[in-house]
């Protein structure tokens, strides 16, 4: 029976909510969003026809509240709810509650969610259905001695997994029997705290496997197909970083075998809708790992190679239609790769970052490039949710074409305000082993040195572009207002200075702790910059959006410089480097004594005080280090002086704007 969906509520946020609503709108549906207090101005709210507040920022109090979401569904007249991924998407009680409220849950039956919700129970089921399993133990008995004996039987190394697990939590690799008891206890603790259930399973740890998963789709008329596979072998800490389709090296026979195993798995639990059967593959073997009973983050690569819209398929199936295509009709064309752009700092062990996206350029303008995102420039990445900024998906006629486009797409991506994994992803895309499809789950660890190089000092090209940007910006400003307040400012040079062949200014930049002074000599069409590596003739134009068309000793370059406060982030040749401009005017203000107050840049904890009362300091010296959100911020001396008073001690909490110390003239 067809039960038409006219109004769709999306019980999610961010990119997946936006993506689902795009398809719903294209199909002529009315869309309803829900939002937490943190998301009142979020993109998914702006895209929706209607949006309902469901509670405070923490997910527990909003996006995980079944009652609040059903209330919004009733108020809005929604006849279906799409759960996206994460949050309530694999929550059987939610699927049941929707059913009871007479609302279509766009997902599998609650019974299928339950059957696959426990990795152990799912493995037992799959064993019966004849789906191959990694050798292991997935029984009910959780006696520690028994688990240890099972580990011995399986043979080390083994992997302990939280049965209720997800997102890599509660997973421990154990290399020897001595390590087993402690690893077990720690896996159980993690499982208990993350999932409220300390049940574990133990399986053989494969040392160089690939993660290959199969997209399945079933309708309520007994049809079930697979839409080929995805390779998600490039992972960090068992979490996907790069995903692609099809899997390199996949033969048609193997695809058919894995496809059949996946369809068998889905049929064994009476599946309906979109699902993913995850396999781990090594050599000629593949084994069932788990089934994700929802739309997957990486579904766009499947859409790219099949030309299908999986959300449209979900909605059709949910309203009782048959699958749009039979197995034989499902296309497989070209190659697609997705990367997850995250607000995280690779230099600090990928610590998630929070803060404002001061500047954001995503490569959706490039051909064969799709960007799924839930944020815009000016939005904030908060501590409450997943710090994913966007998914970037490229496709090509073949894998190498897609790989080249991936590199170009990442080169065209610009984020200022937060550290991201962009450069790390780009290094993966550029790695010869990636081009050669040498994929397994150790890829990142194996190529770590190349993928995560030590920071390099700023180069002359970046300095030249930063200097050109500042000079152009200052020229524009001084043309508007001659700086009467500060007659000594080098920027206050009277109009006509361009004619004076000896006119010059000294610019100072800071690259982390290093100061770099650059003398710029004015020339009729540009400047000669005395850079660390020698003189360079620089000319060019800067646009209001920070774009630079520059010539460095005649070589034309496109670049972008984004200024936030005194920080200049220079994007050039696909790389990026941030330097601080030491503004001479701010320094001269400080010298007049009005700017003796040194304040905390953000609320945080004092973690280091580098000076003592009475100590003389030189301009630029580090004074106090404040830590907030695990980020360190160094407060430096704006001028030479003497520390008159320290207001806090190490360990003290400070508010933003709190005066940290008083600097007086030496
Ligand atoms: P999650 O629920 O966190 O997704 P999975 O069971 O899907 O947990 O495993 C996540 C990842 O851990 C896999 O993609 C794979 O890289 C790795 N992994 C899982 N099982 C094994 C195994 N038996 N041997 C080696 N690696 C494994
Ligand atoms: P996939 O196999 O689809 O990549 P993941 O295991 O990576 O699935 O998880 C899917 C996404 O959902 C991830 O981005 C993860 O951070 C997010 N997620 C999972 N659980 C939650 C949750 N409870 N709240 C918010 N986001 C979640
Ligand atoms: Mg998984």
């Amino acid at each position: 029976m067809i039960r038409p969906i006219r109004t769709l509520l999306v019980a999610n946020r961010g990119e997946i909510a936006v993506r689902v609503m795009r398809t719903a709108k294209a199909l002529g549906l009315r869309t309803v969003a829900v939002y937490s207090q943190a998301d009142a101005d979020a993109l998914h709210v702006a895209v929706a026809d209607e949006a309902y507040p469901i509670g405070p920022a923490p997910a527990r109090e909003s996006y995980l509240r079944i009652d609040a979401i059903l209330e919004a569904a009733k108020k809005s007249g929604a006849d279906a709810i799409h759960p996206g991924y994460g949050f309530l998407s694999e929550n059987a009680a939610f699927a049941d509650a929707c059913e009871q409220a007479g609302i279509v849950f766009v997902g599998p039956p609650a019974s299928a969610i339950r059957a696959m919700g426990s990795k152990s129970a799912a493995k037992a089921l799959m064993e019966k259905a004849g789906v191959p399993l990694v050798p292991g133990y997935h029984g009910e008995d959780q006696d520690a001695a028994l688990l240890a004996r099972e580990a011995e039987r399986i043979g080390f190394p083994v992997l302990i997994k939280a049965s209720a697990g997800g997102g890599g939590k509660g997973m421990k690799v154990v290399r020897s029997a001595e390590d087993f008891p402690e690893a077990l206890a720690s896996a159980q603790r993690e499982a208990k705290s993350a999932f409220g259930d300390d049940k574990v399973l133990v399986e053989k740890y494969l040392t160089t496997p690939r993660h290959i998963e199969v997209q399945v789709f079933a309708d309520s008329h007994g049809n079930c197909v697979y839409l080929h596979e995805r390779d998600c072998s490039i992972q960090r800490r068992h979490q996907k970083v790069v995903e692609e389709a099809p899997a390199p090296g996949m033969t048609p026979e193997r695809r058919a075998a894995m496809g059949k195993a996946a369809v068998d798995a889905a049929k064994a639990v009476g599946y309906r809708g979109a699902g993913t059967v995850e396999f781990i593959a090594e050599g000629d073997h593949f084994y069932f790992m788990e089934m994700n009973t929802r739309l997957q983050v990486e579904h766009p690569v499947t859409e790219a190679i099949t030309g299908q819209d999986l959300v449209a398929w979900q909605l059709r199936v949910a309203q009782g239609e048959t699958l749009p295509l039979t197995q034989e009709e499902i296309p497989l064309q070209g190659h697609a790769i997705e990367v997850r752009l995250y607000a995280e700092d690779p230099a600090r062990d990928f610590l998630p970052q929070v803060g404002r996206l001061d500047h954001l350029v995503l490569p959706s303008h490039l051909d064969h490039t799709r960007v799924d995102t839930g944020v815009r420039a000016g939005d904030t990445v908060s501590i409450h949710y997943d710090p994913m900024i966007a998914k970037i998906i490229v496709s090509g006629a073949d894998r190498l074409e897609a790989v080249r486009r991936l590199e170009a797409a990442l080169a065209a991506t610009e984020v200022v305000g937060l550290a991201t994994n962009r450069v790390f992803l780009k290094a993966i895309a550029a790695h010869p082993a990636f081009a050669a499809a040498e994929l397994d789950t150790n890829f990142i660890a194996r190529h770590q040195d190349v993928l995560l190089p030590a920071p390099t000092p700023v180069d002359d090209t970046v300095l030249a572009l930063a200097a050109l940007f500042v000079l152009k910006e200052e020229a524009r400003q001084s043309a508007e207002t001659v700086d009467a307040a500060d007659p000594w400012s080098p920027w206050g040079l009277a109009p006509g200075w361009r004619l004076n062949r000896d006119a010059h200014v000294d610019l100072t930049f800071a690259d982390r702790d290093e100061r770099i002074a650059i003398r710029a000599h004015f020339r009729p069409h540009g400047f000669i910059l005395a850079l660390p590596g020698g003189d360079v003739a620089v000319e060019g134009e800067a646009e209001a959006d920070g774009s630079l068309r520059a010539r460095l000793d005649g070589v034309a370059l496109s670049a972008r410089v984004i200024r936030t406060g005194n920080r200049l982030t220079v994007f050039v040749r696909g790389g990026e480097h941030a330097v601080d401009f030491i503004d001479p005017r701010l320094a001269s203000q400080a010298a007049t004594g009005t700017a003796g107050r040194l304040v905390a840049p953000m609320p945080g904890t004092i973690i280091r005080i580098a000076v003592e009362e009475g100590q003389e300091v030189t301009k630029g010296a580090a004074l106090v280090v404040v830590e907030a959100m695990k980020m360190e911020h160094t407060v430096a001396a704006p001028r030479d002086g003497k520390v008159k008073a320290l207001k806090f001690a190490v360990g003290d909490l400070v508010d933003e704007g709190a005066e940290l110390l008083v600097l007086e003239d030496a």
Side-chain angles (χ1 to χ4, degrees):
M1 191 190 70
I2 303 289
R3 211 174 139 186
I5 299 171
R6 296 172 59 231
T7 300
L8 179 71
L9 182 146
V10 182
N12 215 299
R13 63 178 304 282
E15 65 90 15
I16 192 63
V18 173
R19 184 260 168 277
V20 169
M21 287 194 279
R22 286 239 155 90
T23 290
K25 274 174 187 277
L27 293 174
L29 307 190
R30 197 163 65 92
T31 55
V32 180
V34 290
Y35 65 95
S36 72
Q37 274 164 18
D39 281 340
D41 298 318
L43 184 58
H44 79 276
V45 173
V47 169
D49 292 318
E50 262 174 53
Y52 290 78
I54 49 167
R60 245 173 308 102
E61 297 168 46
S62 49
Y63 296 106
L64 290 172
R65 276 200 41 205
I66 295 176
D67 58 340
I69 290 167
L70 287 177
E71 180 72 24
K74 277 182 204 138
K75 277 198 203 138
S76 63
D79 35 39
I81 296 183
H82 193 301
Y85 56 70
F87 298 127
L88 295 170
S89 61
E90 295 180 275
N91 185 312
F94 182 54
D96 276 337
C98 290
E99 189 90 356
Q100 273 152 31
I103 293 166
V104 174
F105 175 73
V106 183
S111 56
I113 300 179
R114 285 202 178 90
M116 290 296 186
S118 153
K119 287 189 209 280
S120 314
K123 286 184 80 173
L125 260 173
M126 292 304 110
E127 204 161 28
K128 274 201 216 137
V131 178
L133 301 183
V134 188
Y137 172 80
H138 50 263
E140 283 298 317
D141 194 340
Q142 296 286 297
D143 177 59
L146 172 95
L147 292 171
R149 274 200 308 280
E150 287 294 332
E152 288 279 7
R153 179 184 62 80
I154 296 161
F156 290 97
V158 299
L159 183 63
I160 305 175
K161 278 187 197 178
S163 186
K169 286 199 194 88
M171 237 154 61
K172 299 281 163 202
V173 180
V174 194
R175 312 231 168 239
S176 70
E178 294 89 81
D179 300 341
F180 190 83
E182 203 182 309
L184 175 64
S186 126
Q188 286 170 329
R189 270 196 310 275
E190 265 182 53
K192 185 82 194 165
S193 86
F195 313 107
D197 179 356
D198 63 3
K199 189 166 179 209
V200 298
L201 61 87
V202 184
E203 58 186 37
K204 178 90 196 146
Y205 182 66
L206 307 180
T207 49
T208 44
R210 283 168 68 182
H211 173 117
I212 298 179
E213 58 185 36
V214 177
Q215 175 71 56
V216 294
F217 239 103
D219 63 20
S220 48
H221 306 279
N223 303 303
C224 185
V225 298
Y226 59 90
L227 290 91
H228 316 309
E229 76 286 353
R230 296 182 285 259
D231 189 316
C232 313
S233 299
I234 300 209
Q235 303 188 344
R236 230 194 99 253
R237 294 208 180 126
H238 307 301
Q239 295 275 61
K240 297 159 189 170
V241 176
V242 182
E243 303 111 344
E244 58 184 283
M250 180 65 91
T251 61
E253 295 73 37
R254 195 167 200 222
R255 173 170 299 124
M258 293 183 78
K260 179 181 179 303
V263 166
D264 288 347
K267 284 186 171 161
V269 296
Y271 206 73
R272 184 183 65 223
T276 295
V277 182
E278 295 190 332
F279 295 100
I280 192 148
E282 202 173 49
D284 291 334
H285 301 280
F286 63 87
Y287 310 99
F288 172 86
M289 261 192 309
E290 65 164 344
M291 180 168 187
N292 292 324
T293 53
R294 54 172 160 88
L295 193 67
Q296 204 100 335
V297 174
E298 56 274 20
H299 75 279
V301 293
T302 298
E303 298 188 319
I305 62 157
T306 58
Q308 304 301 307
D309 180 330
L310 296 192
V311 172
W313 278 48
Q314 285 187 298
L315 294 170
R316 278 169 175 258
V317 165
Q319 58 186 11
E321 291 180 64
T322 51
L323 293 177
L325 297 177
T326 63
Q327 187 64 61
E328 294 66 40
E329 289 169 345
I330 295 168
L332 196 179
Q333 227 175 52
H335 200 96
I337 310 176
E338 172 182 286
V339 290
R340 301 181 185 197
L341 181 70
Y342 268 99
E344 62 185 14
D345 190 351
R348 290 164 191 243
D349 198 22
F350 293 85
L351 198 71
Q353 304 288 296
V354 297
R356 189 172 176 274
L357 293 157
D358 292 320
H359 169 79
L360 178 67
V361 176
L362 295 169
S364 50
H365 56 286
L366 299 182
D367 285 340
H368 307 282
T369 303
R370 162 177 168 179
V371 174
D372 282 13
T373 186
V375 293
R376 302 147 294 190
D379 286 355
T380 298
V381 177
S382 85
I383 54 169
H384 301 290
Y385 316 111
D386 192 77
M388 186 158 77
I389 297 171
K391 302 189 304 207
I392 299 172
I393 305 105
V394 295
S395 47
D398 58 24
R399 187 171 185 275
L400 270 186
E401 197 171 282
V403 171
R404 286 290 83 83
R405 285 196 178 118
L406 179 61
E407 216 186 326
L410 287 163
T413 299
E414 299 172 356
V415 184
V416 176
L418 292 166
T420 74
N421 62 346
R422 180 185 78 93
V423 173
F424 170 70
L425 294 173
K426 191 166 161 287
I428 294 174
H431 202 289
F434 182 65
E438 290 166 12
L439 307 179
D440 63 70
T441 58
N442 298 312
F443 182 94
I444 288 172
R446 185 160 64 242
H447 301 297
Q448 165 133 335
D449 293 352
V450 179
L451 300 177
L452 294 167
T456 49
V458 62
D459 66 30
D460 277 11
T461 301
V462 167
L463 285 172
L465 294 167
L468 178 65
F469 178 87
V470 169
L471 291 162
K472 287 287 173 187
E473 189 179 59
E474 295 297 342
R476 200 165 49 236
Q477 281 172 12
S478 61
E480 285 161 15
T481 52
V482 176
D483 197 345
D486 182 2
W488 311 118
S489 164
W491 309 115
L493 293 168
W497 46 260
R498 282 173 182 282
L499 302 176
N500 180 348
R501 292 207 113 240
D502 290 334
H504 65 258
V505 290
D506 290 316
L507 306 176
T508 309
F509 294 96
D511 178 33
R512 281 172 304 236
D513 290 338
E514 204 202 336
R515 295 275 160 149
I516 302 157
I518 297 171
R519 177 157 292 187
H521 296 271
F522 295 93
R523 290 292 178 268
H525 300 290
F527 312 90
I528 303 285
L529 299 180
L531 296 169
D535 284 2
V536 173
V538 176
E539 49 182 79
E541 288 311 319
E543 307 284 331
D545 67 357
S547 310
L548 281 181
R549 295 282 315 153
R551 267 174 210 281
L552 311 186
D553 276 344
V555 177
L557 267 182
S558 293
R560 173 125 54 193
V561 181
I562 298 299
R563 180 169 186 168
T564 42
N566 285 336
R567 172 142 297 196
L568 303 174
T569 306
V570 179
F571 293 93
V572 63
R573 295 192 183 112
E576 66 184 79
H577 201 111
V579 290
D580 290 321
F581 173 55
I582 311 299
D583 193 322
R585 277 175 305 201
L586 295 183
S588 72
Q589 272 165 21
T592 63
T594 54
R597 271 169 55 84
L598 284 162
V599 299
M602 60 208 298
T605 311
I606 308 279
I607 58 163
R608 199 162 86 86
I609 295 179
V611 291
E612 288 167 7
E613 278 182 13
Q615 185 177 332
E616 291 193 8
V617 295
T618 52
K619 184 174 150 182
L623 302 173
V624 176
V625 182
V626 181
E627 186 197 71
M629 313 297 323
K630 308 251 183 214
M631 298 255 294
E632 292 178 9
H633 295 266
T634 302
V635 176
R639 61 192 165 92
D640 295 353
K642 185 164 149 193
V643 178
K644 185 172 176 207
L646 284 169
K647 303 267 178 159
F648 292 95
V650 169
D652 285 351
L653 291 171
V654 292
D655 287 329
E656 181 176 347
E659 183 166 26
L660 299 175
L661 56 74
V662 182
L663 201 60
E664 62 181 358
D665 291 338

